[in-house]
Amino acid sequence: MKAHVLGFPRIGVNRELKKSLEAYWSGLIDQSALEKTGQELRQRHWQAQQSAGLDFVTVGDFAFYDHLLNHSLRFGVIPARFGTEQAADNLDLSFRLARGRAPTGQDSHACEMTKWFDTNYHYIVPELHAEQQFSLSDPRLFNEVKEAQALGHSVKVVLVGPLSYLWLSKCYGTEFDKLTLLERLLPVYAQLFSELMALGVTWIQVDEPILCLDLPQAWQSAFESAYNRLQRRDLSLLLTTYFGTLEENLTLACHLPVAGLHIDVARGGNEWRQVLDRLPEYKILSLGIVDGRNIWRADLAEQYALLSEAKAKLGERLWVSSSCSLLHVPVDATPEVKLPSDVRQAFAFATQKLTEIAILKQSLISPSDAQVQTAFQQAEAAYHTLNHSQKWRNPAVQQRVQALTAADAQRQTPFAQRADIQQQVLALPLLPTTTIGSFPQTGEIRRVRAALKSGQLSVDAYEQAMQHEINYAIKEQEEIGLDVLVHGEAERNDMVEYFGEQLEGFVFTLNGWVQSYGSRCVKPPVIVGDVSRPFAMTVKWAQYAQSQTRHWMKGMLTGPVTILGWSFARTDISREQIALQLALAIRDEVNDLAAAGIKIIQIDEPAFREGLPLRQRQQANYWQWAGRAFRISASGIGDDIQIHTHMCYSEFNDCIEHIAAMDADVITIETARSAMELLKAFEAFDYPNAIGPGVYDIHSPQVPTVNSMAHLMVTAAKGIPVQRLWVNPDCGLKTRGWPEVKASLVNMVTATKKLRKEWGG
Ligand code: GLN
Ligand code: ZN
């Protein structure tokens, strides 16, 4: 019996990797110093796995930027625009692929980045073309194996499998069937396996998470032929599946000719029992029992019972593991000393999860060992400090959710009717112009916020400073000539944290960082109980801002689905229940804003799509409650109030009707990079309400021209009647500088005025 994890976070407990990367990019340290940080982190994390009592350390989960990008470089998948330079150990080349630039070499546009399944981790999308060749071209993995062996560790290597790699890639140039590349890809995998074996590696973890998706028949068959070809007697492959259930891929997964199978028990429901029945006698089964997607301790008693049942059948062939890589949780809960002790004790970050896995394995092997029993009982008691305890619960909030009616989730009249009422109040021109909410977060703004937090600045002085920022943003917007203004969000550190800090039911960690992409980390708030709003959160700022201008000022809120999606939530309360509690809190805020005279209120939902379950069968239920939560937040007001929402993507092809069902009066979305993709969705479905397809890509420091933006608007007008079109950038501007923002918005307004004339506005 063995204990292991599928991967460990690489960022470091104090975000050492982030700091080193950023120092290297800005020229403060050299490459050897960066390499040294990487080495220290790898060694520390292997040591943690060994000390906890795991049987393997996992090698290959480390990456300076992204593990999928590493895999591309390993196989020589480098887009032509980055030149013909060899990948061999070329760190700057990897940074150019990821970010478009690096301390050395020619800038070029970066590869696309996208979300890793339903997590908030983003990977660099491999760019493949029909003629794609693969060749082993990067020694990094081999060096890391040697590094771990030299330290005396027992090594298990992790790699993304060939089918998942192809699935996650994108075709460039002429369209082609990605599966045709498998022929060329497999020999390189075989070669990689041989070289790892030559180093003495005996176990390779091959990640194939796409086995938890609805797969086309051709891909299912490809699994069979691929793994038949990769099969070899002298090497043990552990095929790992995670993030969901296997369902119709279950038999396939059980019978592929590999030495072992890993399944995600945390998300797999009762499937593990079916797998026990189907698994061939020669295979080991790794049960992913400790949840790698949340920060809470496991209920060891429950897990132990499950594992005992599995052990009765499998004996030594049972392995104990995390459900997925621990990449998606923070590193260590030990520093969280400031939190209430019941919360702190209930935390299990990556480091604590290692111990849980080891305790479970030890208890299965030697159930009567006194030391093991004590460790088990302590961990189990800690689990119970928060879970199923009533301390953070609030029956009044639960009752309010219970009492919600159908009418609460519906505006008073249909869109067409309320649009007329709103236009009578707002009197907006054709193609109204606006922005998404935030304006540049300058060093001064950050300094003032920090000074308030540390107590160096009084609340009064802080409020004055923020009012000054609001006035500045208003003056700029008036000069630019925008129609609907925003206050600029200077007072907000983060669009979720800002609200979480003011709501009941949340706590905040000191150091609970999780990698989002590259050096970027997020520190998700933690929902520990029922959520409610003790007082108004944004009204004072919105009211002040509106009093300073004759233009309409948008109120600016984050929606319930996004607040939930970007937090770590307690698991013994359903996500639907938490979303509805959040919806009521936001609804109260919307109502208060309206009562304070704010006529346009934006409820951002950039994470609306990302919470969608991976399996189609489960999606309808999600759309139902997520849509309801949004509508509850937006429906407590009269028809005269215009509700906007904002989303940071444009792939609506498969969900446009659910976006429409949110019934926001205006939706602003990200389309500047792919205006054509948006139109595809609108050809098939007549979106009924108003929409502002972003005409300016805020992720780029370039100032878009009048013509480029006018062109995008003309394109959009082919799919959406101009009476329902708005003009705006594709996201908030907080990461940009004022000069580029001004120049870009001036061009945007110029383009709008030109089209208004042509279109008779
Ligand atoms: N209102 C937010 C802003 O402008 C929206 C951010 C987002 O969509 N991620 O910053
Ligand atoms: Zn956005």
Side-chain angles (χ1 to χ4, degrees):
M1 193 182 306
K2 300 221 184 294
H4 70 124
V5 289
L6 302 198
F8 198 82
R10 50 217 173 212
I11 204 75
V13 66
N14 294 311
R15 286 180 297 160
E16 293 87 336
L17 186 59
K18 173 199 177 69
K19 290 168 192 165
S20 262
L21 275 170
E22 289 174 0
Y24 173 66
W25 292 334
S26 61
L28 293 173
I29 61 169
D30 63 10
Q31 213 171 86
S32 65
L34 176 61
E35 289 281 8
K36 188 156 168 282
T37 306
Q39 191 180 32
E40 278 166 13
L41 288 169
R42 285 192 296 273
Q43 299 191 354
R44 193 196 297 165
H45 299 152
W46 292 331
Q47 189 57 51
Q49 291 167 56
Q50 194 198 30
S51 312
L54 302 192
D55 296 284
F56 292 116
V57 301
T58 302
V59 177
D61 55 353
F62 180 80
F64 279 106
Y65 202 95
D66 165 43
H67 58 277
L68 211 72
L69 173 63
N70 280 8
H71 198 72
S72 293
L73 291 165
R74 187 174 300 144
F75 281 5
V77 179
I78 300 158
R81 64 179 179 282
F82 293 94
T84 48
E85 229 176 328
Q86 268 315 293
D89 227 3
N90 191 336
L91 210 48
D92 277 0
L93 176 64
S94 77
F95 294 142
R96 285 199 296 280
L97 261 79
R99 324 170 58 231
R101 59 187 187 279
T104 65
Q106 274 274 295
D107 291 5
S108 191
H109 76 264
C111 298
E112 221 178 286
M113 186 167 75
T114 197
K115 274 180 194 296
W116 178 250
F117 297 87
D118 61 346
T119 72
N120 195 21
Y121 178 76
H122 301 68
Y123 69 95
I124 302 293
V125 181
E127 290 183 22
L128 302 176
H129 53 87
E131 271 21 272
Q132 190 69 49
Q133 300 294 331
F134 305 94
S135 62
L136 265 198
S137 17
D138 188 352
R140 246 169 218 284
L141 180 63
F142 307 129
N143 294 340
E144 289 174 15
V145 169
K146 290 182 215 157
E147 198 178 291
Q149 288 169 333
L151 292 164
H153 294 305
S154 166
V155 169
K156 177 199 62 182
V157 168
V158 56
L159 292 172
V160 60
L163 276 312
S164 291
Y165 181 70
L166 285 180
W167 181 274
L168 297 168
S169 314
K170 207 166 155 178
C171 305
Y172 285 77
T174 45
E175 274 290 313
F176 63 96
D177 175 6
K178 288 189 280 188
L179 282 178
T180 58
L181 295 179
L182 200 54
E183 249 342 88
R184 277 177 240 161
L185 187 56
L186 291 177
V188 189
Y189 267 94
Q191 191 192 344
L192 178 58
F193 290 171
S194 300
E195 300 211 8
L196 288 168
M197 279 170 60
L199 291 176
V201 172
T202 53
W203 274 101
I204 300 182
Q205 170 189 328
V206 185
D207 283 354
E208 291 284 14
I210 66 166
L211 281 166
C212 294
L213 303 180
D214 304 313
L215 285 183
Q217 176 68 51
W219 284 77
Q220 292 175 331
S221 318
F223 261 99
E224 230 157 305
S225 56
Y227 280 87
N228 272 316
R229 286 181 54 186
L230 288 176
Q231 180 180 12
R232 49 203 307 171
R233 276 179 209 299
D234 41 1
L235 176 71
S236 301
L237 299 185
L238 175 66
L239 182 86
T240 40
T241 66
Y242 47 86
F243 294 152
T245 43
L246 290 165
E247 304 187 20
E248 71 290 345
N249 301 329
L250 189 139
T251 309
L252 173 69
C254 286
H255 289 285
L256 289 173
V258 290
L261 173 67
H262 169 93
I263 58 170
D264 182 337
V265 179
R267 290 207 168 176
N270 271 328
E271 250 188 10
W272 61 275
R273 282 215 174 86
Q274 283 178 55
V275 173
L276 276 189
D277 287 342
R278 305 268 174 88
L279 198 76
E281 293 262 302
Y282 69 89
K283 275 194 192 181
I284 70 104
L285 179 63
S286 165
L287 290 182
I289 197 120
V290 167
D291 197 339
R293 295 291 297 275
N294 75 33
I295 53 168
W296 307 110
R297 282 182 182 274
D299 183 345
L300 290 191
E302 192 186 313
Q303 313 295 31
Y304 180 79
L306 188 157
L307 288 170
S308 303
E309 194 181 327
K311 189 179 168 231
K313 180 125 194 206
L314 296 169
E316 279 299 302
R317 293 190 290 129
L318 171 67
W319 288 16
V320 185
S321 184
S322 56
S323 65
C324 57
S325 168
L326 300 178
L327 178 66
H328 312 290
V329 293
V331 180
D332 187 0
T334 318
E336 303 302 333
V337 289
K338 290 209 173 142
L339 288 175
S341 83
D342 59 334
V343 173
R344 182 162 39 93
Q345 285 190 59
F347 277 164
F349 296 179
T351 308
Q352 287 71 39
K353 287 181 193 282
L354 299 178
T355 307
E356 291 186 324
I357 293 166
I359 293 178
L360 281 167
K361 181 197 138 179
Q362 283 309 324
S363 335
L364 287 165
I365 297 178
S366 19
S368 45
D369 181 304
Q371 227 176 333
V372 174
Q373 275 183 2
T374 316
F376 190 102
Q377 278 154 11
Q378 277 171 357
E380 179 66 7
Y383 163 81
H384 283 289
T385 57
L386 184 67
N387 278 282
H388 308 290
S389 108
Q390 291 304 310
K391 175 176 160 197
W392 300 85
R393 303 306 304 266
N394 181 341
V397 176
Q398 296 164 33
Q399 276 155 22
R400 225 185 133 194
V401 168
Q402 274 277 305
L404 280 166
T405 64
D408 291 329
Q410 206 173 23
R411 297 291 299 267
Q412 288 163 4
T413 61
F415 170 77
Q417 224 170 310
R418 35 179 226 271
D420 285 343
I421 300 172
Q422 289 162 17
Q423 182 57 6
Q424 275 168 30
V425 178
L426 300 172
L428 293 168
L430 183 72
L431 303 173
T433 54
T434 190
T435 62
I436 305 304
S438 58
F439 273 116
Q441 290 253 332
T442 57
E444 174 61 11
I445 292 177
R446 277 183 238 275
R447 201 188 58 75
V448 170
R449 271 206 318 259
L452 173 76
K453 221 172 180 174
S454 67
Q456 280 166 289
L457 201 68
S458 72
V459 174
D460 276 356
Y462 170 78
E463 290 193 351
Q464 261 173 33
M466 288 297 127
Q467 289 181 351
H468 176 80
E469 293 297 336
I470 292 173
N471 290 347
Y472 180 78
I474 290 174
K475 182 181 103 313
E476 294 296 321
Q477 294 173 84
E478 286 177 342
E479 268 172 38
I480 292 164
L482 291 160
D483 300 309
V484 173
L485 310 194
V486 296
H487 79 289
E489 300 180 24
E491 80 286 7
R492 302 185 189 177
N493 38 0
D494 172 276
M495 63 185 293
V496 170
E497 196 172 45
Y498 179 76
F499 290 95
E501 276 171 352
Q502 302 186 72
L503 291 167
E504 299 276 323
F506 281 78
V507 299
F508 295 84
T509 63
L510 271 178
N511 229 15
W513 296 99
V514 181
Q515 188 178 18
S516 172
Y517 62 89
S519 68
R520 187 70 76 98
C521 300
V522 294
K523 189 156 69 67
V526 180
I527 299 177
V528 292
D530 293 308
V531 176
S532 61
R533 187 198 73 143
F535 43 75
M537 304 180 281
T538 64
V539 174
K540 189 178 60 187
W541 300 116
Q543 212 168 14
Y544 174 79
Q546 182 64 86
S547 75
Q548 301 296 303
T549 177
R550 290 212 300 264
H551 290 83
W552 297 115
M553 176 62 61
K554 272 196 279 195
M556 195 60 63
L557 304 172
T558 302
V561 181
T562 296
I563 296 182
L564 172 62
W566 289 351
S567 302
F568 279 121
R570 202 167 141 155
T571 47
D572 58 343
I573 311 177
S574 76
R575 294 182 76 72
E576 173 173 358
Q577 172 72 212
I578 302 172
L580 294 174
Q581 295 179 3
L582 282 160
L584 282 169
I586 299 300
R587 178 186 176 99
D588 292 347
E589 187 72 11
V590 168
N591 296 355
D592 283 353
L593 282 169
I598 303 297
K599 294 289 177 200
I600 307 183
I601 300 167
Q602 179 171 316
I603 308 171
D604 290 326
E605 282 288 18
F608 198 74
R609 168 76 206 265
E610 130 194 347
L612 186 64
L614 297 171
R615 289 284 191 177
Q616 242 154 28
R617 206 172 42 79
Q618 297 155 4
Q619 292 175 354
N621 177 49
Y622 171 79
W623 288 126
Q624 189 274 331
W625 66 252
R628 178 163 174 246
F630 180 85
R631 288 195 312 276
I632 285 169
S633 72
S635 300
I637 28 96
D639 285 337
D640 57 325
I641 307 295
Q642 190 169 72
I643 296 289
H644 290 213
T645 190
H646 164 72
M647 291 178 188
C648 300
Y649 41 81
S650 60
E651 285 115 51
F652 289 142
N653 296 328
D654 58 350
C655 66
I656 182 98
E657 70 270 30
H658 304 292
I659 305 296
M662 294 164 76
D663 199 25
D665 295 304
V666 181
I667 181 169
T668 55
I669 53 178
E670 177 185 288
T671 47
R673 277 177 288 181
S674 54
M676 296 305 153
E677 298 207 354
L678 165 83
L679 285 184
K680 273 190 236 152
F682 286 78
E683 269 161 28
F685 180 85
D686 213 355
Y687 186 80
N689 301 10
I691 182 160
V695 292
Y696 139 35
D697 175 11
I698 65 95
H699 302 93
S700 154
Q702 257 162 354
V703 173
T705 62
V706 173
N707 280 340
S708 72
M709 288 189 274
H711 176 75
L712 283 175
M713 282 151 65
V714 170
T715 311
K718 287 182 189 144
I720 305 147
V722 293
Q723 290 72 22
R724 284 196 264 126
L725 269 185
W726 282 61
V727 183
N728 45 264
D730 67 358
C731 197
L733 297 162
K734 72 174 179 193
T735 57
R736 304 259 65 101
W738 270 109
E740 30 165 327
V741 162
K742 260 184 99 167
S744 305
L745 292 176
V746 164
N747 286 354
M748 188 183 92
V749 169
T750 308
T752 306
K753 287 187 173 152
K754 197 175 114 189
L755 289 178
R756 261 182 209 153
K757 254 194 212 133
E758 284 172 26
W759 295 344

